[in-house]
Amino acid sequence: MAKLITPRSEDYARWYTDVVTQSRMADYSPVKGCMVIRPHGYALWENMQRVLDRMFKDTGHQNAYFPLFIPKSFLAKEARHVEGFAKECAIVTHTRLRASGSGDDAKLVVDPASALEEELIIRPTSETIIYSMFAKWVQSYRDLPLLINQWANVVRWEMRTRLFLRTTEFLWQEGHTAHATSEEAEEEARRMLDVYATFAEEYMAVPVLRGRKTEKEKFAGAERTYCIEALMQDGRALQAGTSHHLGQNFAKAFDLKFQTESGDWRFAYNTSWGVSTRLVGAIVMAHGDDQGLVLPPRLAPVQVVVVPIWKGTDPVERILAAAEGVEGALKRAGVAAKLDARDNLSPGFKFNEWEMLGVPLRIEIGPKDLEKGSVCCVKRTNRAKSFVPTGDVPTAVPALLEEIQRELLEAARARRDASTFAVDGYDEMKAKLEGPGGFLLAHWCGDGACETAIHEETKATIRVITFDGASETGRCVRCGRPSERRVHFAKAY
Ligand SMILES: [Zn+2]
């Protein structure tokens, strides 16, 4: 059986790794910095993809696919963009290997004769290659807006690895759009941020703050970066999605122009936006407990596990038949149900295993339930039991799942709110950061140098300048210069 999970209170980082590996969501790979997403983790990602994909299509986007390789000269065309990614690029320089030596001494070496004339970068993000194609496709204002999404893998070289949160290769989607006006691009960037926020709250059950990044924290090459930020149980923030208004920066670099109705030529305005498999890590950290994963019902690959219970002289066949009947009724009602009829394992073992895997609801059916014509439903979150007449299962269980979904969001919101503090002094801020962490609402003068100093001195960054933050005059928490509002600081993943 699985090893014990390190309690959160003892070592949160270790707890996270234990949960991810023991629930068989992911594993370390032979390639340093890269992970293997195992079926239980991938099924969750597929459910997330399915919902997001529908939301993108409902807002007018189409999927397409662009190359994994980007010519080095492309990356260099937008100065701030290349600066932002230069330090984490994987570069393809050659195209062949050859055998060197012979017999037992034979080795495979890179064939120096196969050096590429122009090196290729493995995409860290695809703005450059995609806008080079947009430039070909867009001629007239009638070709706009162009609304494209790509599901892909990207590579950003990392020295430290944390499963799902920080890996050299990861999976994501990147939306890329072109518009005739800055206003339309702005509207698009904000619309997609709202899509992400809706997904985070209504599906992941993770409450998020919406707002803008500071100049220092914005995407390399963007005019403005919007983000959603969530708080994990250890008081650290996690950036859950970003949406960028790119202005005309990339359009100018790639000559992405269109002819207006009156016949003159103008550069288009672009947006890009993305979420990645790091959202899987966010779900683990937002809801998990010392027994393992806790998955939100709307995304859980298995929503309900049905466990028949019998011993000795109990009518095994009738119990199993009832369990199969419940599984069938749930499936017909559109619930992802799974019957666990393995007869070589005790019910207690099965309960632990399904709890570890985060299945939101367990249905137990034993001889007494059979007699009463009901089933026992147990919530993963708090093990609260309720008895449901067997005939009501197709309506009562979906309602219970929705109740769990709501409770998860409410609990996460209550935790976040209890970990959000207004701080006025720098010492107070430092003490909070060394202690419980959380979102610290503090005044900031607006100076990037001050922001950098705060980061160096406390490890905290400005996570977000929220859209709904109240204006309030005060003094910068570090330098004392005037400030017009508070911003959210936190240590972050
Ligand atoms: Zn300051």
Side-chain angles (χ1 to χ4, degrees):
M1 181 49 193
K3 288 169 286 181
L4 286 176
I5 293 173
T6 306
R8 286 165 292 177
S9 58
E10 201 175 289
D11 185 339
Y12 190 82
R14 188 106 154 256
W15 166 82
Y16 174 78
T17 304
D18 284 353
V19 170
V20 169
T21 54
Q22 291 185 39
S23 67
R24 303 192 292 273
M25 292 187 100
D27 205 347
Y28 295 98
S29 82
V31 185
K32 194 166 176 279
C34 294
M35 67 187 285
V36 175
I37 305 178
R38 300 182 68 182
H40 191 52
Y42 202 76
L44 177 62
W45 175 240
E46 283 180 312
N47 283 350
M48 298 167 81
Q49 270 187 308
R50 190 171 39 75
V51 174
L52 284 166
D53 199 63
R54 196 183 60 228
M55 294 173 92
F56 299 155
K57 285 171 182 163
D58 285 349
T59 42
H61 304 84
Q62 291 179 302
N63 286 334
Y65 189 78
F66 296 82
L68 169 69
F69 303 117
I70 295 177
K72 197 171 78 179
S73 59
F74 276 39
L75 206 63
K77 278 191 183 177
E78 214 291 332
R80 281 174 302 170
H81 188 63
V82 67
E83 200 184 308
F85 288 101
K87 287 180 186 151
E88 48 191 35
C89 284
I91 303 127
V92 180
T93 56
H94 291 76
T95 66
R96 278 201 300 276
L97 298 171
R98 67 176 170 83
S100 163
S102 58
D104 290 348
D105 297 332
K107 271 189 285 189
L108 270 180
V109 296
V110 173
D111 184 349
S114 73
L116 286 171
E117 208 165 296
E118 179 176 4
E119 288 134 350
L120 297 171
I121 312 298
I122 311 273
R123 62 181 164 218
T125 177
S126 304
E127 275 75 8
T128 57
I129 193 107
I130 291 182
Y131 299 137
S132 77
M133 296 308 296
F134 278 20
K136 253 172 98 173
W137 300 337
V138 172
Q139 300 297 325
S140 145
Y141 68 94
R142 291 185 202 88
D143 301 325
L144 297 173
L146 184 52
L147 309 171
I148 296 288
N149 176 59
Q150 159 169 270
W151 290 98
N153 58 341
V154 286
V155 165
R156 296 178 187 175
W157 212 263
E158 289 283 356
M159 301 318 282
R160 297 177 306 129
T161 306
R162 296 205 71 188
L163 296 170
F164 289 113
L165 300 174
R166 193 175 285 280
T167 51
T168 290
E169 180 191 9
F170 58 88
L171 304 182
W172 78 343
Q173 60 71 218
E174 47 183 321
H176 292 277
T177 66
H179 306 266
T181 66
S182 176
E183 292 71 29
E184 281 177 39
E186 178 68 15
E187 200 182 301
E188 165 79 3
R190 292 288 296 266
R191 178 186 302 121
M192 298 323 287
L193 189 78
D194 285 345
V195 164
Y196 290 155
T198 301
F199 177 74
E201 297 190 341
E202 292 185 7
Y203 290 87
M204 294 168 59
V206 172
V208 291
L209 300 172
R210 304 169 203 213
R212 186 164 58 81
K213 286 285 188 197
T214 62
E215 285 298 298
K216 177 174 176 283
E217 298 285 327
K218 77 179 185 188
F219 177 72
E223 291 286 302
R224 276 189 292 286
T225 289
Y226 299 114
C227 65
I228 52 169
E229 292 281 328
L231 195 67
M232 303 295 104
Q233 289 180 54
D234 63 343
R236 279 178 184 255
L238 184 133
Q239 177 178 293
T242 49
S243 183
H244 317 292
H245 183 150
L246 302 172
Q248 294 176 310
N249 295 339
F250 287 91
K252 285 177 179 164
F254 289 91
D255 206 28
L256 167 49
K257 279 191 287 206
F258 67 98
Q259 201 163 22
T260 64
E261 221 169 336
S262 54
D264 51 336
W265 288 85
R266 252 187 236 156
F267 288 112
Y269 293 83
N270 297 111
T271 80
S272 66
W273 27 275
V275 296
S276 72
T277 35
R278 114 187 292 239
L279 292 185
V280 174
I283 289 178
V284 175
M285 289 199 292
H287 304 305
D289 63 20
D290 292 347
Q291 277 69 52
L293 281 179
V294 175
L295 296 180
R298 289 186 182 175
L299 293 173
V302 176
Q303 294 172 302
V304 177
V305 61
V306 182
V307 183
I309 299 168
W310 72 87
K311 56 177 186 288
T313 57
D314 289 339
V316 183
E317 273 82 38
R318 282 178 51 221
I319 293 171
L320 281 176
E324 275 168 22
V326 166
E327 185 202 24
L330 284 171
K331 283 184 170 167
R332 283 192 297 279
V335 176
K338 188 175 171 62
L339 171 67
D340 184 356
R342 293 175 294 175
D343 64 1
N344 52 342
L345 298 171
S346 71
F349 179 95
K350 291 180 183 177
F351 296 171
N352 287 339
E353 184 168 275
W354 292 110
E355 281 186 0
M356 158 95 80
L357 294 176
V359 174
L361 193 70
R362 172 171 87 226
I363 292 185
E364 304 172 6
I365 304 179
K368 278 185 188 147
D369 304 301
L370 201 62
E371 244 169 63
K372 285 185 282 190
S374 64
V375 298
C376 176
C377 299
V378 186
K379 286 184 187 176
R380 167 65 182 86
T381 42
N382 55 7
R383 293 187 179 152
K385 287 188 177 183
S386 56
F387 293 89
V388 171
T390 311
D392 295 348
V393 161
T395 50
V397 168
L400 262 176
L401 290 172
E402 281 300 295
E403 186 179 300
I404 295 168
Q405 181 80 32
R406 271 197 309 278
E407 287 169 353
L408 278 176
L409 177 61
E410 280 162 19
R413 182 169 281 137
R415 271 196 302 273
R416 180 195 69 187
D417 292 349
S419 297
T420 301
F421 310 99
V423 291
D424 291 312
Y426 202 36
D427 288 338
E428 185 190 359
M429 179 161 156
K430 284 181 181 165
K432 276 274 188 285
L433 287 166
E434 277 158 28
F439 278 129
L440 304 181
L441 270 164
H443 279 284
W444 169 58
C445 56
D447 183 345
C450 210
E451 185 185 4
T452 301
I454 293 172
H455 183 211
E456 281 165 4
E457 288 157 10
T458 69
K459 303 253 183 352
T461 46
I462 298 175
R463 303 313 307 159
V464 58
I465 303 169
T466 53
F467 295 135
D468 56 5
S471 54
E472 173 198 308
T473 51
R475 302 213 158 261
C476 175
V477 70
R478 184 174 178 277
C479 72
R481 281 179 288 175
S483 148
E484 279 160 18
R485 55 164 298 171
R486 292 173 186 268
V487 297
H488 283 76
F489 284 91
K491 288 189 193 170
Y493 280 97

